């Protein structure tokens, strides 16, 4: 039986994955209002305003923890640096998605956060598989997923990106612990 933690905190070497709070709204809005971040997601709008960040924090607070868990990626020195979420979305396994603020790209934070989230999903959420995808024009995200043990399935899906206001190709991957 899976015990549902009300607000888990996942700690890694440099990061804490925790629930986003009201005090994080301005920081989230500032980081997420970057067209190069939003355009690599399906759901994130651009421009990304404080109201979007407030809605995000409120939506996370009422998530069903049996079906979804969203973490703010909090660095020990820099504070919030991004977001990672796991959610059931009608696929064969829950999906994982993440983004990192531009000032923190190339420092291994996405890989470290993903590794921590995968350990949590396996041990605490009792998931035996996860899926993910990255846009075909975002190979850096594919490398993060590969480092965490995700494998390409060969499937490419088309989805509508809000920030791009266009359809885009997503390369699908799977993780089996």
């Amino acid at each position: 039986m899976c015990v549902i933690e009300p607000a888990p905190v996942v700690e890694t070497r440099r990061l804490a994955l925790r629930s986003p709070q009201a005090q994080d709204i301005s920081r989230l809005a500032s980081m997420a209002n970057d067209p190069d971040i939003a355009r690599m997601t399906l759901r994130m709008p651009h421009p990304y305003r404080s109201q979007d960040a407030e809605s995000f924090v409120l939506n996370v607070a009422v998530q069903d923890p049996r079906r979804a868990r969203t973490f703010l990626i909090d660095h020990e020195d820099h504070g919030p640096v991004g977001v990672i979420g796991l959610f059931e979305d009608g696929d064969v396994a829950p999906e994982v998605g993440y983004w990192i603020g531009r000032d923190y790209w190339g420092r291994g934070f996405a890989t470290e956060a993903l590794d921590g989230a995968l350990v949590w999903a396996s041990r605490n959420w009792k998931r035996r598989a996860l899926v993910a995808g990255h846009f075909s024009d975002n190979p850096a995200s594919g490398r993060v997923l590969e480092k965490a043990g995700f494998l390409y399935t060969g499937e490419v899906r088309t989805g509508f990106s809000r920030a791009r206001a266009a359809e885009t190709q997503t390369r699908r991957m799977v993780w089996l612990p």
Side-chain angles (χ1 to χ4, degrees), residues 95-110:
E95 183 163 354
V96 63
Y98 57 88
W99 62 266
I100 299 290
R102 178 189 295 273
D103 292 344
Y104 308 103
W105 290 356
R107 298 186 192 188
F109 297 156

Side-chain angles (χ1 to χ4, degrees), residues 10-12 86 113-128 130 175:
V10 177
E11 293 188 10
T12 68
L86 305 103
L114 182 55
D115 285 342
L118 294 175
V119 169
W120 177 86
S122 178
R123 290 185 185 160
N124 300 70
W125 211 31
K126 306 295 185 199
R127 296 310 196 263
R128 298 291 167 238
L130 292 171
W175 176 80

Side-chain angles (χ1 to χ4, degrees), residues 13-15 37 75 78 81 98-112 138 140-141 143-144 147:
R13 188 172 64 80
R14 301 175 291 175
L15 307 171
I37 291 172
H75 185 274
H78 303 295
V81 297
Y98 57 88
W99 62 266
I100 299 290
R102 178 189 295 273
D103 292 344
Y104 308 103
W105 290 356
R107 298 186 192 188
F109 297 156
T111 301
E112 187 173 332
N138 188 4
S141 188
R143 285 190 297 278
V144 167
K147 285 186 226 173

Side-chain angles (χ1 to χ4, degrees), residues 5-55:
E5 303 165 273
V9 176
V10 177
E11 293 188 10
T12 68
R13 188 172 64 80
R14 301 175 291 175
L15 307 171
L17 309 183
R18 63 170 176 83
S19 297
Q21 305 295 318
Q23 66 266 23
D24 301 315
I25 290 172
S26 63
R27 174 74 175 223
L28 283 168
S30 174
M31 284 190 302
N33 192 33
D34 181 326
D36 288 334
I37 291 172
R39 69 184 302 276
M40 293 301 174
T41 72
L42 287 174
R43 296 171 186 87
M44 190 181 289
H46 185 76
Y48 193 93
R49 299 180 175 90
S50 289
Q51 304 94 296
D52 298 309
E54 184 176 342
S55 293

